[in-house]
Amino acid sequence: MAFRNHSTVTEFILMGLSDDPHIEALLFMLFLVIYLLTLTGNLMLLLVIRADSHLHTPMYFFLSNLSFLDLCFSSVTVPKLLVDLLSKKKTISVKSCLAQVFFVVITPGTEACLLSVMAYDRYAAICHPLLYAQVMSHQLCVRLVLVSWGLASLNSVVLVLLAVSLDFCEDQIIHHYSCELPSLLPLSCSDISIDIYILICSSLLHGLGTSLPIFFSYARIISMIWTISSTTGRSKAFNTCSSHLIAVILYFGSGLIRYLMPTSGSSLDFLFSLQYGVVSPMVNPLIYSLKNKEVKAAVKRTLKKYL
């Protein structure tokens, strides 16, 4: 019943990243390596955090959830991209496309909320170290993760209902490598002015709702760091939150631009989508492991224990 408006179009054609077979072969190898690195890095981080009791703290509880989200996010689009790079006809059914829209919204939406929660966690650790254990209790951490999933689910349901209500008459070509709502809207033969307005409002509310707590948390953190007299103390405090700050900049910068910019099918659309959908899930475990002495020490302990 929900798909009655799509009877004239049963499948979409994805333009992909290139139509040159030689370039597609190179891209297949590149994205296969990226996907394998993403799986390996995030699974390793999950296993190390679970196996090492020294990492059973709120910060690493959130980090393990972030790794799980990165695994889910990359698995929503990259396997289909890899298949399309080896296929002559890059098609996807309407139902599969709408399902991909849902998961492309809920996983990065939850990740944005989680990054916001992690910023508050860093604020509590640096600005209130003596009360940190009381403030960031395990019950609160679990609730914050559940709230992140709940808010992202609500946002994704709203946007998927927009996609379901669209009429698709003739145009089947999606000028992208995956199904995202900004790429689907131009294909509709119905009036999409309200849909664009809702998409922009939803993106702004979700983006500002998650980025403002990050901004205020880091404003307090920076002001606190400047009050520390010793250079060593400042460096230690900054290193505590630098990994998270890098992840936030990489993720929010490309994600918000992708959903707020008009879709043009240009290389910029692909670039921003690949940045937050493919590159960020691979880079996050590297950022948190290479810049974190506790994680590196935990990896060594885990390797010694099992090998």
Side-chain angles (χ1 to χ4, degrees), residues 11 15 27-28 45 59 63 72 125 173 192 236 247 268 280:
E11 63 181 17
M15 285 295 292
L27 289 174
F28 174 82
L45 205 54
M59 174 183 173
L63 185 54
C72 295
I173 300 175
I192 61 169
K236 185 178 179 180
L268 282 177
S280 286

Side-chain angles (χ1 to χ4, degrees), residues 136-158:
M136 299 303 296
S137 64
H138 181 69
Q139 291 82 359
L140 178 62
C141 294
V142 172
R143 288 172 189 165
L144 289 173
V145 171
L146 292 176
V147 168
S148 299
W149 276 100
L151 291 174
S153 300
L154 179 62
N155 185 49
S156 61
V157 167
V158 170

Side-chain angles (χ1 to χ4, degrees), residues 122 126-127 217-242 245:
R122 293 300 82 208
I126 293 174
C127 298
S217 295
Y218 274 102
R220 295 293 300 273
I221 288 171
I222 291 170
S223 64
M224 179 67 184
I225 289 175
W226 282 114
T227 61
I228 300 174
S229 56
S230 67
T231 306
T232 306
R234 286 184 186 178
S235 177
K236 185 178 179 180
F238 181 75
N239 286 333
T240 304
C241 56
S242 60
L245 191 58

Side-chain angles (χ1 to χ4, degrees), residues 1 32 38 50 61 65 82 115 120 128 131 137 156 176 214 218 221 226 257 273 278-279 286 292:
M1 182 176 70
L32 179 61
T38 302
R50 183 174 179 82
F61 172 73
N65 280 274
L82 292 173
L115 288 171
Y120 175 74
H128 303 286
L131 299 174
S137 64
S156 61
H176 206 56
I214 295 174
Y218 274 102
I221 288 171
W226 282 114
I257 291 173
S273 290
V278 178
V279 178
L286 295 175
N292 194 308

Side-chain angles (χ1 to χ4, degrees), residues 258-273:
R258 168 69 181 124
Y259 273 82
L260 294 178
M261 274 181 59
T263 299
S264 59
S266 66
S267 57
L268 282 177
D269 290 342
F270 293 113
L271 183 63
F272 290 128
S273 290

Side-chain angles (χ1 to χ4, degrees), residues 21 24 40 94 186 201 206 240 251 253 304:
E24 285 185 325
T40 304
V94 172
C201 288
H206 198 75
T240 304
Y251 184 79
K304 286 181 180 179

